[in-house]
Amino acid sequence: MSNTVDRPQSEKERRKRRLQLQYIAVLVIGFAFSVATGFIVGSTDGEGANAVPAWMLTLREVAISPWLWLAVMLALMGWAVVWTLAYWRQLDELARAAHERAWFWGGSAGKAVGLSAVLIASATPPLRDLTFPGVTPMELVALGAFGVTMLMLIGYGVAWAIIWWRAR
Amino acid sequence: MRNRLRVLRAERDWSQADLAEHLGVSRQTVNAIEVGKYDPSLPLAFKVARLFGTTIETIFFDDDSAHQEAAE
């Protein structure tokens, strides 16, 4: 007689499914929000402002407000912290180890590539002497930080995929 | 580290998914432990030992202990 376990969907699996759906929902809402903002700003820019109804111009004022973006970013970061804690709690130890190793090796490799690129670019002509009219130094700093962070995330994603593939 | 997890599981006619369900981990974790790609934490090793009604060292062993046993 087989001792095979009868396996209905456990609470753990349901929780994991809920978290995945929540993640996808936030991605979709975030994408839709970005596209809508881009559409409003794009269609009301320059001469476009004369061809749109007044409520679109009001929306534009809201869409380009830094306070709106600060509020959105804070809300997203708050949600990300809560979501990550819930996600982390339902992972088993192999999955946690995979994330930790991926962050250490992949994230570190991404950071090494990004920082090397920044250092080389800042010390080597002609890259060193490039100027970007209309872009403030602070915007360049933010762009550099964003670029390095993206490289870290890419490294982390690649390392995680390799680790998870090998442990399947 | 090597282990007898696959043998113990086969004796009970359990799949990896069945064992994973008993231990509260994913099937991938059971597979990674079985093939020696991942060494379980002590709490999980104790859980495995309790599940099979035996001790940790009769399930998990390193090459040194295997050689030692062969020599004895």
Side-chain angles (χ1 to χ4, degrees), chain B residues 12-54:
Chain B
R12 284 155 183 79
D13 199 16
W14 284 348
S15 65
Q16 287 184 339
D18 295 333
L19 179 56
E21 182 73 22
H22 278 291
L23 295 172
V25 298
S26 66
R27 190 199 58 77
Q28 286 90 339
T29 300
V30 169
N31 182 57
I33 294 171
E34 274 190 9
V35 299
K37 283 181 181 169
Y38 176 71
D39 294 334
S41 65
L42 264 180
L44 182 56
F46 272 114
K47 210 170 177 180
V48 172
R50 265 196 296 273
L51 179 65
F52 289 116
T54 183

Side-chain angles (χ1 to χ4, degrees), chain A residues 16 20 23 83 87-88 90-110 151-168, chain B residues 26 28-29:
Chain A
K16 187 176 180 179
Q20 286 171 340
Y23 185 78
W83 187 90
Y87 176 75
W88 190 257
Q90 56 83 42
L91 289 179
D92 72 356
E93 60 179 64
L94 177 70
R96 288 182 183 183
H99 283 295
E100 286 163 358
R101 287 177 194 170
W103 189 243
F104 180 78
W105 291 107
S108 299
L151 283 170
M152 289 175 74
L153 285 175
I154 289 167
Y156 161 76
V158 170
W160 183 86
I162 292 169
I163 290 167
W164 199 243
W165 177 262
R166 290 178 63 189
R168 270 183 333 130
Chain B
S26 66
Q28 286 90 339
T29 300

Side-chain angles (χ1 to χ4, degrees), chain A residues 39-40 43-44 52-61:
Chain A
F39 175 76
I40 290 165
S43 57
T44 54
V52 294
W55 61 267
M56 281 279 276
L57 294 174
T58 311
L59 271 183
R60 177 193 167 85
E61 290 307 310

